Amino acid sequence: MADSKRGRDIVKQAKAEVEPLTLEQVDEMIRRREPMTLVDVREGDEWRAGHLPGAIHIPRGYFELQVDEKLPDKDAPIVLYCAGGNRSAMSAKTLKELGYTDVRHMIRGFSGWRDGGFEVVQPKNWTPEQRERYSRHFVLPEVGEAGQRKISEGKVLVVGAGGLGAPAIYFLGAAGVGKLGIVDFDTVDISNLQRQVIHSTSRVGMNKAESARQAIDDLNPDVDVQIWKERLTPDNVDGILAQFDMVIDATDNFSTRYLINEAAVKQGKPYIYGSIFRFEGYASTFWPAAGGPCYRCMHPEAPPDELAPT
Ligand SMILES: [Zn+2]
């Protein structure tokens, strides 16, 4: 019995064989968007209480059953973590035995990570209906649950529910944006319907913001729609924009465009602008708070509104 191993010896040996990464190194890799798959090997209830940003979850108990599907590339860089560094070392050992070539683990684990004040993602508890509704987003690696969570918590203001606003509002609503603001003083005309798909024949004569709200309420009950059936003015623009994370300018006149741009610059929020003329279109995002110019930097002078082609 002299050379019989104890459980702890196996853990110790695994730890000695796997390249360790510090919390700071992993944080840096996440920030730099270094290509790697970050794998959380803890149990489901630990994962649901919070995890690292961008991590995928393969509980150690299901490791061998799920690795082929979730980690298909045996030469891709993989970083494992658990609560304190033991289970991740053991899982790394398993991966190495399975032929994975680039496996490291984070020492001190999630406990160290959380106590160190690094970014923690709280998984959202989706309802079964939401899981169905956003299932096509969940399967897109570029969106996934983390992306849907961002969309679902996003607050977007759309000024104008006409040719540009209609598709923008419709797709934001379909995607499940958390809060959607719509500003439009105009009413639905039958000549709008050939392109402003959010409105309908039964709503001709109705205010456009109201008509758009009815369409979104019917499309996706997750979205909190707030409407303003009035013109955007220097008096109301700041108060309205303050309730949102960003603004989409879907108007067709220069004076409103400068008004929105100015408010967005003042509040440090992204200003997304689009414009169309026949078969030509422009779309751009201005966000001086994150670097770069604002709309007025590009067009210092506002031309008179009469010059805006409709
Ligand atoms: Zn500027």
Side-chain angles (χ1 to χ4, degrees), residues 43-93:
E43 301 302 313
D45 51 347
E46 296 175 281
W47 164 265
R48 281 187 291 277
H51 58 78
L52 267 62
I56 64 166
H57 182 216
I58 314 179
R60 188 166 171 243
Y62 296 92
F63 218 69
E64 292 80 356
L65 294 170
Q66 295 187 0
V67 283
D68 298 339
E69 189 195 330
K70 292 190 172 171
L71 302 172
D73 183 353
K74 292 199 171 181
D75 295 315
I78 295 167
V79 176
L80 304 167
Y81 74 90
C82 60
N86 289 330
R87 284 175 286 172
S88 57
M90 293 304 295
S91 304
K93 188 173 186 289

Side-chain angles (χ1 to χ4, degrees), residues 57-229:
H57 182 216
I58 314 179
R60 188 166 171 243
Y62 296 92
F63 218 69
E64 292 80 356
L65 294 170
Q66 295 187 0
V67 283
D68 298 339
E69 189 195 330
K70 292 190 172 171
L71 302 172
D73 183 353
K74 292 199 171 181
D75 295 315
I78 295 167
V79 176
L80 304 167
Y81 74 90
C82 60
N86 289 330
R87 284 175 286 172
S88 57
M90 293 304 295
S91 304
K93 188 173 186 289
T94 304
L95 284 184
K96 287 183 170 218
E97 284 164 9
L98 289 168
Y100 287 82
T101 59
D102 189 352
V103 185
R104 289 169 289 178
H105 83 134
M106 184 174 83
I107 47 169
R108 299 187 54 209
F110 183 76
S111 309
W113 181 269
R114 191 194 46 216
D115 296 345
F118 296 99
E119 188 191 349
V120 171
V121 175
Q122 193 80 37
K124 194 173 158 72
N125 291 317
W126 305 98
T127 65
E129 191 194 303
Q130 286 171 325
R131 289 207 165 272
E132 286 273 335
R133 180 181 289 273
Y134 305 119
S135 57
R136 299 306 187 272
H137 274 170
F138 289 168
V139 298
L140 284 175
E142 294 82 356
V143 183
E145 282 201 33
Q148 185 60 48
R149 187 191 156 106
K150 279 190 185 167
I151 295 170
S152 297
E153 290 172 356
K155 299 173 190 159
V156 183
L157 177 65
V158 183
V159 183
L164 291 163
I169 293 164
Y170 232 164
F171 275 97
L172 285 166
V177 72
K179 181 169 166 178
L180 186 53
I182 307 168
V183 184
D184 204 313
F185 62 91
D186 204 4
T187 51
V188 179
D189 187 85
I190 196 159
S191 68
N192 299 149
L193 300 180
Q194 137 279 5
R195 65 197 181 284
Q196 299 179 19
V197 292
I198 202 164
H199 307 303
S200 68
T201 307
S202 65
R203 298 200 290 270
V204 167
M206 184 184 287
N207 169 270
K208 283 188 177 178
E210 176 61 38
S211 166
R213 168 164 65 185
Q214 290 188 15
I216 299 303
D217 282 350
D218 194 36
L219 176 66
N220 190 348
D222 288 347
V223 184
D224 170 18
V225 186
Q226 304 273 318
I227 63 169
W228 285 267
K229 305 182 199 178

Side-chain angles (χ1 to χ4, degrees), residues 180-295:
L180 186 53
I182 307 168
V183 184
D184 204 313
F185 62 91
D186 204 4
T187 51
V188 179
D189 187 85
I190 196 159
S191 68
N192 299 149
L193 300 180
Q194 137 279 5
R195 65 197 181 284
Q196 299 179 19
V197 292
I198 202 164
H199 307 303
S200 68
T201 307
S202 65
R203 298 200 290 270
V204 167
M206 184 184 287
N207 169 270
K208 283 188 177 178
E210 176 61 38
S211 166
R213 168 164 65 185
Q214 290 188 15
I216 299 303
D217 282 350
D218 194 36
L219 176 66
N220 190 348
D222 288 347
V223 184
D224 170 18
V225 186
Q226 304 273 318
I227 63 169
W228 285 267
K229 305 182 199 178
E230 58 197 286
R231 276 179 200 274
L232 207 64
T233 67
D235 291 329
N236 65 13
V237 66
D238 292 318
I240 295 174
L241 182 58
Q243 303 172 46
F244 298 90
D245 303 325
M246 64 183 71
V247 56
I248 296 178
D249 174 359
T251 63
D252 57 3
N253 69 82
F254 294 120
S255 47
T256 315
R257 180 148 292 168
Y258 284 90
L259 184 65
I260 302 169
N261 174 65
E262 235 99 301
V265 171
K266 215 185 323 174
Q267 297 187 20
K269 292 175 182 173
Y271 164 81
I272 299 140
Y273 125 90
S275 75
I276 41 174
F277 178 61
R278 293 183 187 159
F279 290 93
E280 291 171 34
Y282 274 164
S284 193
T285 298
F286 297 93
W287 192 11
C294 78
Y295 181 78

Side-chain angles (χ1 to χ4, degrees), residues 27-39:
D27 183 51
E28 189 62 27
M29 289 166 77
I30 294 173
R31 282 174 198 282
R32 282 206 308 259
R33 296 174 171 275
E34 240 173 71
M36 61 156 167
T37 306
L38 189 57
V39 184

